[in-house]
Amino acid sequence: MGGKYRITGDKYPRMSRPRRRSRLILAAAASVVALGLAGWGTLQLIDVFTGNNRKASAADHKTDCPTANPSAPVKVLPKPAKITVNVYNATPRSGLAKQAADELKKRGFTIGKVGNAPAAYDKKVAGPGVLLGAPSATNGSLPVLGTQLQGAVPKTDARRTADVDLILGTKFKAFSTPQSAAAALAALAKPAPVPSC
């Protein structure tokens, strides 16, 4: 070839590959990845809506939560007539122990001793009252007597007898109404609620 196209020296024009082939390869790879992701997403959606996934739905899943047992035994509490209550007055008001004892007797309790509080409690009970009994009374006599006086503090001592003491405090005004006392007693007799999951 002559003229301006004549090749001189040892340098030759380099011919580069057309860029279309590399673009085609990149486009094909991207479309394969996109199709794979789309297919995987579609399968996940199908599993969710049809319930074929390995994780069962909340409705089908068996939980380890205990179910409520309708035949669960009701807690047996002593009747008021079986509870002997000693009523003591730890306040400066005279005659309070006798009045309280009369009211408890009307409500079915058996009354034992009535009088002033012992020196350990006399004028030293700031709340409505203290319920005092043997450790064995904490799940029986003391809670039943506690339904009659809201805010009374249960305590135990070393006695071996079944009787319990009601020591009236300075904030004592009146016993709970018979209706609220009966409701509290019914709540005590119910079995413990099943924990929710």
Side-chain angles (χ1 to χ4, degrees):
M1 293 173 57
K4 62 180 180 177
Y5 298 107
R6 187 178 57 163
I7 298 173
T8 57
D10 57 354
K11 293 184 179 179
Y12 299 92
R14 293 188 178 181
M15 305 293 288
S16 60
R17 289 184 179 181
R19 294 187 180 180
R20 289 183 179 178
R21 186 175 292 175
S22 61
R23 286 183 183 173
L24 285 174
I25 292 171
L26 284 174
S31 58
V32 167
V33 170
L35 285 172
L37 287 174
W40 180 78
T42 304
L43 286 176
Q44 293 299 316
L45 285 174
I46 290 172
D47 283 346
V48 167
F49 287 111
T50 59
N52 292 332
N53 57 343
R54 290 183 182 180
K55 294 181 181 178
S57 64
D60 299 331
H61 184 60
K62 290 185 179 179
T63 60
D64 294 333
C65 295
T67 56
N69 186 0
S71 62
V74 175
K75 188 175 179 180
V76 179
L77 295 170
K79 299 289 184 187
K82 299 287 185 182
I83 302 173
T84 301
V85 184
N86 304 314
V87 185
Y88 297 112
N89 182 9
T91 73
R93 293 178 279 170
S94 61
L96 190 61
K98 177 73 168 72
Q99 294 172 10
D102 291 343
E103 180 61 30
L104 287 176
K105 190 173 183 179
K106 289 179 187 175
R107 298 185 183 205
F109 289 89
T110 302
I111 303 302
K113 299 175 184 176
V114 178
N116 292 325
Y121 291 98
D122 193 25
K123 316 279 189 309
K124 296 175 184 175
V125 179
V130 171
L131 308 175
L132 194 61
S136 59
T138 54
N139 291 323
S141 302
L142 289 180
V144 172
L145 181 57
T147 61
Q148 306 300 316
L149 181 57
Q150 189 175 9
V153 178
K155 291 185 178 181
T156 58
D157 57 12
R159 77 181 70 189
R160 296 181 181 272
T161 57
D163 62 330
V164 293
D165 298 345
L166 170 59
I167 304 172
L168 302 172
T170 53
K171 289 188 179 176
F172 175 79
K173 301 295 181 189
F175 288 110
S176 303
T177 63
Q179 294 82 6
S180 61
L185 190 61
L188 277 178
K190 286 182 182 177
V194 176
S196 59
C197 297

